[in-house]
Amino acid sequence: MTTNLSSGSPGPQSAFSLDKVHFKVGDRTILHPLDLTLYPGEVVGLIGQNGSGKSTLLKFLARQNEPSGGTIHFENRSLTKWGARDFAKRVAYLPQDPPIGTGLTARELVRLGRYPWHGALGRFTEDDAAKAEKAMEMTDTLQFAERSIDTLSGGERQRVWLAMLVAQDAGCLLLDEPTSALDIAHQIEVLSLIRRLGHTRNLCVVVVLHDVNMAARFCDRIVALRNGCLVADETPANFMTPSALSSVYGIDMTVLAQLGTPRVGVAVPAYKEERLPASRVP
């Protein structure tokens, strides 16, 4: 089931536009040709089974890897035409496993977000400092400013990394499983922050998530991959149906309504315990 919310051709208001983008390694196709357009002001949840191509697609958007074919435009310009510094000013990328043992304080890490604006030989200005402080204020991380990143909890550390991306002042955030190591409370905290930043700053946000319930709760749009193919591009309300979920995950699911928010229930076959014969019981 695929209902495209967009076309593959660059539009005047698009952030990213992909046309027939695909990726192969030898004879193996990792990502089949897909068309996709992403817009400012929306939070897009990129979901699918392990190995479905989610991180691969995100790395193409971040210019970490190059596709085997097809074209990607960012702000109506081919990705290949962007200079490294100009692109870094517009697009911020948080990989799945950011470094933990940085030896930096939270404030020092957040200030690194200003690097694309002044470069290696440039001067860190008062404006840079102000933007870093504002980013920490927006992400409620000023309380950690003088603490080493290594001493923070997983949720606190993720908020500091997000503060660094906010300080970067980019128009697009690409986040690869930012909640994978967090408990439920910190997942909600981080995703609430991501949603608020996307809407208040009119950012294009693409976030890879494994929890489809979290994707439905915090994302404006869900893009789903399976075996490297685009199988759904829907609003959460349209996506959270048994048929759509089955097309992505390959198992039967039911959808429960709770306080107006659809939630997934998985139909698990009954488990029959195998009992040992009395003669074999230890």
PDB file of all heavy atoms in Angstrom, residues 3 11 22 28 43 57 63 77 80 91 110 121 134 136 145 157 191 209 222 228-229 241 245 251-252 257 267:
ATOM      1  N   THR A   3       0.533   5.422  -0.719  1.00  0.00           N
ATOM      2  CA  THR A   3      -0.176   6.622  -1.125  1.00  0.00           C
ATOM      3  C   THR A   3       0.806   7.765  -1.026  1.00  0.00           C
ATOM      4  O   THR A   3       1.068   8.276   0.064  1.00  0.00           O
ATOM      5  CB  THR A   3      -1.397   6.887  -0.220  1.00  0.00           C
ATOM      6  OG1 THR A   3      -2.249   5.757  -0.270  1.00  0.00           O
ATOM      7  CG2 THR A   3      -2.151   8.108  -0.676  1.00  0.00           C
ATOM      8  N   GLY A  11       9.938  21.245  -6.113  1.00  0.00           N
ATOM      9  CA  GLY A  11       8.932  22.296  -6.062  1.00  0.00           C
ATOM     10  C   GLY A  11       9.481  23.496  -5.344  1.00  0.00           C
ATOM     11  O   GLY A  11      10.451  23.407  -4.615  1.00  0.00           O
ATOM     12  N   HIS A  22      18.043   5.221  -5.859  1.00  0.00           N
ATOM     13  CA  HIS A  22      18.200   3.808  -5.527  1.00  0.00           C
ATOM     14  C   HIS A  22      19.652   3.525  -5.157  1.00  0.00           C
ATOM     15  O   HIS A  22      20.544   4.348  -5.372  1.00  0.00           O
ATOM     16  CB  HIS A  22      17.762   2.909  -6.686  1.00  0.00           C
ATOM     17  CG  HIS A  22      18.507   3.138  -7.959  1.00  0.00           C
ATOM     18  ND1 HIS A  22      18.201   4.165  -8.837  1.00  0.00           N
ATOM     19  CD2 HIS A  22      19.556   2.473  -8.521  1.00  0.00           C
ATOM     20  CE1 HIS A  22      19.011   4.114  -9.879  1.00  0.00           C
ATOM     21  NE2 HIS A  22      19.855   3.099  -9.703  1.00  0.00           N
ATOM     22  N   ARG A  28      23.192  -6.919  -4.999  1.00  0.00           N
ATOM     23  CA  ARG A  28      22.131  -6.761  -3.997  1.00  0.00           C
ATOM     24  C   ARG A  28      21.569  -5.340  -4.024  1.00  0.00           C
ATOM     25  O   ARG A  28      22.322  -4.365  -3.944  1.00  0.00           O
ATOM     26  CB  ARG A  28      22.678  -7.066  -2.607  1.00  0.00           C
ATOM     27  CG  ARG A  28      21.625  -6.993  -1.511  1.00  0.00           C
ATOM     28  CD  ARG A  28      22.257  -7.144  -0.151  1.00  0.00           C
ATOM     29  NE  ARG A  28      21.301  -6.940   0.916  1.00  0.00           N
ATOM     30  CZ  ARG A  28      21.605  -6.613   2.161  1.00  0.00           C
ATOM     31  NH1 ARG A  28      22.877  -6.464   2.503  1.00  0.00           N
ATOM     32  NH2 ARG A  28      20.672  -6.458   3.080  1.00  0.00           N
ATOM     33  N   VAL A  43       7.236  17.112  10.509  1.00  0.00           N
ATOM     34  CA  VAL A  43       8.060  16.093  11.140  1.00  0.00           C
ATOM     35  C   VAL A  43       7.700  14.761  10.500  1.00  0.00           C
ATOM     36  O   VAL A  43       6.561  14.296  10.614  1.00  0.00           O
ATOM     37  CB  VAL A  43       7.824  16.043  12.665  1.00  0.00           C
ATOM     38  CG1 VAL A  43       8.692  14.963  13.304  1.00  0.00           C
ATOM     39  CG2 VAL A  43       8.121  17.403  13.289  1.00  0.00           C
ATOM     40  N   LEU A  57      18.714   5.629   3.463  1.00  0.00           N
ATOM     41  CA  LEU A  57      18.038   6.783   2.887  1.00  0.00           C
ATOM     42  C   LEU A  57      18.417   8.065   3.610  1.00  0.00           C
ATOM     43  O   LEU A  57      18.690   9.099   2.979  1.00  0.00           O
ATOM     44  CB  LEU A  57      16.519   6.569   2.938  1.00  0.00           C
ATOM     45  CG  LEU A  57      15.645   7.711   2.417  1.00  0.00           C
ATOM     46  CD1 LEU A  57      16.014   8.090   0.985  1.00  0.00           C
ATOM     47  CD2 LEU A  57      14.169   7.336   2.513  1.00  0.00           C
ATOM     48  N   ARG A  63      24.154  13.512   2.855  1.00  0.00           N
ATOM     49  CA  ARG A  63      25.365  13.475   2.021  1.00  0.00           C
ATOM     50  C   ARG A  63      26.491  12.678   2.683  1.00  0.00           C
ATOM     51  O   ARG A  63      27.669  12.911   2.436  1.00  0.00           O
ATOM     52  CB  ARG A  63      25.873  14.885   1.665  1.00  0.00           C
ATOM     53  CG  ARG A  63      24.963  15.665   0.765  1.00  0.00           C
ATOM     54  CD  ARG A  63      25.658  16.664  -0.117  1.00  0.00           C
ATOM     55  NE  ARG A  63      26.769  17.380   0.502  1.00  0.00           N
ATOM     56  CZ  ARG A  63      27.448  18.360  -0.110  1.00  0.00           C
ATOM     57  NH1 ARG A  63      27.121  18.725  -1.337  1.00  0.00           N
ATOM     58  NH2 ARG A  63      28.423  18.970   0.506  1.00  0.00           N
ATOM     59  N   ARG A  77      18.097  22.794  -5.436  1.00  0.00           N
ATOM     60  CA  ARG A  77      19.436  22.676  -6.004  1.00  0.00           C
ATOM     61  C   ARG A  77      19.922  21.242  -5.816  1.00  0.00           C
ATOM     62  O   ARG A  77      19.752  20.664  -4.743  1.00  0.00           O
ATOM     63  CB  ARG A  77      20.402  23.640  -5.303  1.00  0.00           C
ATOM     64  CG  ARG A  77      21.778  23.726  -5.975  1.00  0.00           C
ATOM     65  CD  ARG A  77      22.814  24.396  -5.085  1.00  0.00           C
ATOM     66  NE  ARG A  77      22.376  25.666  -4.520  1.00  0.00           N
ATOM     67  CZ  ARG A  77      23.124  26.402  -3.689  1.00  0.00           C
ATOM     68  NH1 ARG A  77      24.345  25.973  -3.332  1.00  0.00           N
ATOM     69  NH2 ARG A  77      22.662  27.527  -3.206  1.00  0.00           N
ATOM     70  N   THR A  80      24.548  17.573  -5.313  1.00  0.00           N
ATOM     71  CA  THR A  80      25.943  17.592  -5.755  1.00  0.00           C
ATOM     72  C   THR A  80      26.463  19.006  -5.989  1.00  0.00           C
ATOM     73  O   THR A  80      27.671  19.218  -6.098  1.00  0.00           O
ATOM     74  CB  THR A  80      26.110  16.775  -7.047  1.00  0.00           C
ATOM     75  OG1 THR A  80      25.292  17.356  -8.083  1.00  0.00           O
ATOM     76  CG2 THR A  80      25.695  15.334  -6.833  1.00  0.00           C
ATOM     77  N   VAL A  91      21.676  21.915   6.766  1.00  0.00           N
ATOM     78  CA  VAL A  91      21.237  20.569   7.135  1.00  0.00           C
ATOM     79  C   VAL A  91      22.071  20.043   8.300  1.00  0.00           C
ATOM     80  O   VAL A  91      23.299  20.042   8.237  1.00  0.00           O
ATOM     81  CB  VAL A  91      21.356  19.592   5.937  1.00  0.00           C
ATOM     82  CG1 VAL A  91      20.936  18.187   6.360  1.00  0.00           C
ATOM     83  CG2 VAL A  91      20.503  20.077   4.768  1.00  0.00           C
ATOM     84  N   VAL A 110      27.702  22.034  22.453  1.00  0.00           N
ATOM     85  CA  VAL A 110      26.680  22.820  21.758  1.00  0.00           C
ATOM     86  C   VAL A 110      27.328  23.891  20.888  1.00  0.00           C
ATOM     87  O   VAL A 110      26.899  24.145  19.750  1.00  0.00           O
ATOM     88  CB  VAL A 110      25.698  23.451  22.766  1.00  0.00           C
ATOM     89  CG1 VAL A 110      24.741  24.408  22.060  1.00  0.00           C
ATOM     90  CG2 VAL A 110      24.917  22.357  23.495  1.00  0.00           C
ATOM     91  N   LEU A 121      39.349  28.425  10.860  1.00  0.00           N
ATOM     92  CA  LEU A 121      40.198  29.594  11.123  1.00  0.00           C
ATOM     93  C   LEU A 121      39.387  30.822  11.517  1.00  0.00           C
ATOM     94  O   LEU A 121      39.969  31.890  11.751  1.00  0.00           O
ATOM     95  CB  LEU A 121      41.044  29.909   9.876  1.00  0.00           C
ATOM     96  CG  LEU A 121      41.960  28.774   9.397  1.00  0.00           C
ATOM     97  CD1 LEU A 121      42.705  29.196   8.132  1.00  0.00           C
ATOM     98  CD2 LEU A 121      42.938  28.379  10.489  1.00  0.00           C
ATOM     99  N   LYS A 134      21.043  30.286  23.339  1.00  0.00           N
ATOM    100  CA  LYS A 134      19.618  30.223  23.010  1.00  0.00           C
ATOM    101  C   LYS A 134      19.197  28.791  22.718  1.00  0.00           C
ATOM    102  O   LYS A 134      18.116  28.347  23.127  1.00  0.00           O
ATOM    103  CB  LYS A 134      19.335  31.110  21.790  1.00  0.00           C
ATOM    104  CG  LYS A 134      17.870  31.121  21.348  1.00  0.00           C
ATOM    105  CD  LYS A 134      16.967  31.714  22.412  1.00  0.00           C
ATOM    106  CE  LYS A 134      15.537  31.814  21.923  1.00  0.00           C
ATOM    107  NZ  LYS A 134      14.624  32.347  22.984  1.00  0.00           N
ATOM    108  N   MET A 136      20.522  26.093  23.958  1.00  0.00           N
ATOM    109  CA  MET A 136      20.457  25.370  25.223  1.00  0.00           C
ATOM    110  C   MET A 136      19.208  25.755  26.012  1.00  0.00           C
ATOM    111  O   MET A 136      18.603  24.916  26.685  1.00  0.00           O
ATOM    112  CB  MET A 136      21.725  25.633  26.042  1.00  0.00           C
ATOM    113  CG  MET A 136      22.995  25.128  25.374  1.00  0.00           C
ATOM    114  SD  MET A 136      24.464  25.199  26.433  1.00  0.00           S
ATOM    115  CE  MET A 136      24.180  23.768  27.485  1.00  0.00           C
ATOM    116  N   ALA A 145      25.183  22.881  31.488  1.00  0.00           N
ATOM    117  CA  ALA A 145      26.184  23.609  30.696  1.00  0.00           C
ATOM    118  C   ALA A 145      27.618  23.269  31.073  1.00  0.00           C
ATOM    119  O   ALA A 145      28.475  23.076  30.208  1.00  0.00           O
ATOM    120  CB  ALA A 145      25.948  25.107  30.796  1.00  0.00           C
ATOM    121  N   ARG A 157      21.841  13.532  27.521  1.00  0.00           N
ATOM    122  CA  ARG A 157      22.854  13.632  26.462  1.00  0.00           C
ATOM    123  C   ARG A 157      22.194  13.861  25.100  1.00  0.00           C
ATOM    124  O   ARG A 157      22.669  14.678  24.304  1.00  0.00           O
ATOM    125  CB  ARG A 157      23.701  12.361  26.449  1.00  0.00           C
ATOM    126  CG  ARG A 157      24.972  12.477  25.635  1.00  0.00           C
ATOM    127  CD  ARG A 157      25.991  11.418  26.027  1.00  0.00           C
ATOM    128  NE  ARG A 157      25.420  10.083  26.062  1.00  0.00           N
ATOM    129  CZ  ARG A 157      25.355   9.324  27.157  1.00  0.00           C
ATOM    130  NH1 ARG A 157      25.811   9.746  28.315  1.00  0.00           N
ATOM    131  NH2 ARG A 157      24.830   8.105  27.099  1.00  0.00           N
ATOM    132  N   LEU A 191      11.154  13.274  21.860  1.00  0.00           N
ATOM    133  CA  LEU A 191      10.298  13.421  20.687  1.00  0.00           C
ATOM    134  C   LEU A 191       9.390  14.649  20.791  1.00  0.00           C
ATOM    135  O   LEU A 191       9.093  15.296  19.781  1.00  0.00           O
ATOM    136  CB  LEU A 191       9.471  12.155  20.472  1.00  0.00           C
ATOM    137  CG  LEU A 191      10.273  10.938  20.010  1.00  0.00           C
ATOM    138  CD1 LEU A 191       9.399   9.686  19.987  1.00  0.00           C
ATOM    139  CD2 LEU A 191      10.892  11.178  18.643  1.00  0.00           C
ATOM    140  N   LEU A 209      12.572   6.010  13.323  1.00  0.00           N
ATOM    141  CA  LEU A 209      12.011   5.477  14.562  1.00  0.00           C
ATOM    142  C   LEU A 209      11.664   4.002  14.388  1.00  0.00           C
ATOM    143  O   LEU A 209      11.302   3.564  13.297  1.00  0.00           O
ATOM    144  CB  LEU A 209      10.748   6.245  14.960  1.00  0.00           C
ATOM    145  CG  LEU A 209      10.926   7.709  15.367  1.00  0.00           C
ATOM    146  CD1 LEU A 209       9.565   8.380  15.511  1.00  0.00           C
ATOM    147  CD2 LEU A 209      11.715   7.817  16.658  1.00  0.00           C
ATOM    148  N   ILE A 222       4.145   9.775   7.980  1.00  0.00           N
ATOM    149  CA  ILE A 222       4.902   8.535   8.128  1.00  0.00           C
ATOM    150  C   ILE A 222       5.304   8.018   6.755  1.00  0.00           C
ATOM    151  O   ILE A 222       4.449   7.835   5.876  1.00  0.00           O
ATOM    152  CB  ILE A 222       4.088   7.476   8.889  1.00  0.00           C
ATOM    153  CG1 ILE A 222       3.888   7.913  10.343  1.00  0.00           C
ATOM    154  CG2 ILE A 222       4.782   6.119   8.844  1.00  0.00           C
ATOM    155  CD1 ILE A 222       3.064   6.969  11.188  1.00  0.00           C
ATOM    156  N   GLY A 228      13.662  -2.340   1.267  1.00  0.00           N
ATOM    157  CA  GLY A 228      14.199  -1.328   0.374  1.00  0.00           C
ATOM    158  C   GLY A 228      13.181  -0.660  -0.524  1.00  0.00           C
ATOM    159  O   GLY A 228      13.547   0.160  -1.378  1.00  0.00           O
ATOM    160  N   CYS A 229      11.906  -0.974  -0.343  1.00  0.00           N
ATOM    161  CA  CYS A 229      10.846  -0.382  -1.171  1.00  0.00           C
ATOM    162  C   CYS A 229       9.991   0.570  -0.340  1.00  0.00           C
ATOM    163  O   CYS A 229       9.717   0.305   0.842  1.00  0.00           O
ATOM    164  CB  CYS A 229       9.941  -1.471  -1.751  1.00  0.00           C
ATOM    165  SG  CYS A 229      10.760  -2.587  -2.892  1.00  0.00           S
ATOM    166  N   THR A 241      -3.645   1.582  10.241  1.00  0.00           N
ATOM    167  CA  THR A 241      -4.691   0.618   9.922  1.00  0.00           C
ATOM    168  C   THR A 241      -4.051  -0.762   9.860  1.00  0.00           C
ATOM    169  O   THR A 241      -2.848  -0.890   9.575  1.00  0.00           O
ATOM    170  CB  THR A 241      -5.348   0.925   8.565  1.00  0.00           C
ATOM    171  OG1 THR A 241      -4.378   0.755   7.520  1.00  0.00           O
ATOM    172  CG2 THR A 241      -5.887   2.346   8.522  1.00  0.00           C
ATOM    173  N   LEU A 245      -0.182  -1.455   8.335  1.00  0.00           N
ATOM    174  CA  LEU A 245       0.829  -1.967   9.263  1.00  0.00           C
ATOM    175  C   LEU A 245       1.347  -3.332   8.824  1.00  0.00           C
ATOM    176  O   LEU A 245       2.539  -3.610   8.896  1.00  0.00           O
ATOM    177  CB  LEU A 245       0.241  -2.047  10.672  1.00  0.00           C
ATOM    178  CG  LEU A 245      -0.034  -0.692  11.333  1.00  0.00           C
ATOM    179  CD1 LEU A 245      -1.005  -0.849  12.495  1.00  0.00           C
ATOM    180  CD2 LEU A 245       1.260  -0.050  11.801  1.00  0.00           C
ATOM    181  N   ILE A 251       3.209  -8.785   9.804  1.00  0.00           N
ATOM    182  CA  ILE A 251       2.473  -9.533  10.824  1.00  0.00           C
ATOM    183  C   ILE A 251       1.111  -8.889  11.023  1.00  0.00           C
ATOM    184  O   ILE A 251       0.909  -7.714  10.690  1.00  0.00           O
ATOM    185  CB  ILE A 251       3.222  -9.590  12.173  1.00  0.00           C
ATOM    186  CG1 ILE A 251       3.509  -8.162  12.691  1.00  0.00           C
ATOM    187  CG2 ILE A 251       4.513 -10.368  12.051  1.00  0.00           C
ATOM    188  CD1 ILE A 251       4.134  -8.137  14.064  1.00  0.00           C
ATOM    189  N   ASP A 252       0.178  -9.665  11.563  1.00  0.00           N
ATOM    190  CA  ASP A 252      -1.168  -9.147  11.806  1.00  0.00           C
ATOM    191  C   ASP A 252      -1.162  -8.226  13.021  1.00  0.00           C
ATOM    192  O   ASP A 252      -0.594  -8.560  14.066  1.00  0.00           O
ATOM    193  CB  ASP A 252      -2.153 -10.285  12.031  1.00  0.00           C
ATOM    194  CG  ASP A 252      -2.360 -11.127  10.780  1.00  0.00           C
ATOM    195  OD1 ASP A 252      -2.181 -10.575   9.680  1.00  0.00           O
ATOM    196  OD2 ASP A 252      -2.676 -12.319  10.910  1.00  0.00           O
ATOM    197  N   ALA A 257      -7.937   2.466  19.737  1.00  0.00           N
ATOM    198  CA  ALA A 257      -8.119   3.906  19.909  1.00  0.00           C
ATOM    199  C   ALA A 257      -8.094   4.224  21.396  1.00  0.00           C
ATOM    200  O   ALA A 257      -8.859   3.658  22.169  1.00  0.00           O
ATOM    201  CB  ALA A 257      -9.441   4.362  19.301  1.00  0.00           C
ATOM    202  N   ALA A 267      -1.233  -9.001  17.143  1.00  0.00           N
ATOM    203  CA  ALA A 267      -1.909 -10.292  17.326  1.00  0.00           C
ATOM    204  C   ALA A 267      -0.853 -11.382  17.436  1.00  0.00           C
ATOM    205  O   ALA A 267      -0.233 -11.762  16.444  1.00  0.00           O
ATOM    206  CB  ALA A 267      -2.835 -10.562  16.156  1.00  0.00           C
TER     207      ALA A 267
END
